[in-house]
């Protein structure tokens, strides 16, 4: 039986940004890993991907950064953008929008 490392996401994107900032100030990855209860390799991965994390965080609210733990991007970015535009236009008209209606619209496109 092999011992696979169990994948678990412990830190929010806000925590990841804080760790990256502290690394930039000169704190050691080992110390930060111990403080956050993660492996040193994880801290190094965050540092390596800091541009992606920072780019995502620049377009995201503070509240979302505290809740969100991973950077998930859509495979259907064009469809998602079109649905978002449609949603905004319909809401400006005062039309009520439900989850099933959005799903139906997404499958049409």
């Amino acid at each position: 039986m092999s011992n696979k490392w169990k994948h678990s996401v412990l830190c929010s994107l806000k925590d990841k940004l804080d760790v990256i900032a502290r690394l930039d100030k000169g704190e050691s990855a080992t110390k930060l890993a111990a403080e956050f209860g993660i492996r040193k390799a994880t801290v190094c991965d965050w540092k390596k991907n800091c541009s992606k994390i920072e780019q995502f965080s620049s377009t995201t609210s503070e509240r979302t950064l505290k809740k969100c733990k991973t950077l998930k991007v859509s495979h259907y970015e064009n469809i998602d953008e079109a649905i978002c535009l449609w949603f905004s236009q319909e809401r400006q008209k005062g039309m009520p929008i439900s989850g099933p209606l959005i799903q139906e619209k997404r499958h049409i496109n």
Side-chain angles (χ1 to χ4, degrees), residues 3-98:
N3 289 335
K4 282 183 85 174
W5 188 268
K6 184 179 178 190
H7 177 77
S8 61
V9 181
L10 301 174
C11 298
S12 68
L13 289 174
K14 175 87 171 100
D15 292 337
K16 292 175 185 181
L17 287 170
D18 291 343
V19 168
I20 291 168
R22 289 171 64 180
L23 283 170
D24 289 342
K25 290 180 182 176
E27 290 190 50
S28 78
T30 305
K31 177 185 169 214
L32 291 169
E35 182 179 329
F36 283 85
I38 55 177
R39 298 181 323 164
K40 180 182 174 187
T42 302
V43 174
C44 294
D45 287 343
W46 294 349
K47 179 66 176 171
K48 182 175 69 175
N49 295 318
C50 72
S51 61
K52 290 179 185 177
I53 295 169
E54 289 169 347
Q55 180 183 8
F56 183 82
S57 67
S58 68
T59 60
T60 308
S61 71
E62 185 75 21
R63 182 175 154 217
T64 303
L65 287 177
K66 290 179 182 175
K67 291 172 60 176
C68 192
K69 294 183 177 188
T70 59
L71 300 173
K72 300 267 185 183
V73 292
S74 174
H75 296 288
Y76 307 102
E77 195 169 319
N78 293 338
I79 293 173
D80 289 344
E81 288 175 14
I83 295 293
C84 186
L85 178 62
W86 169 81
F87 178 84
S88 297
Q89 291 170 345
E90 294 299 305
R91 291 300 294 158
Q92 285 177 352
K93 295 176 190 174
M95 299 294 292
I97 306 292
S98 65

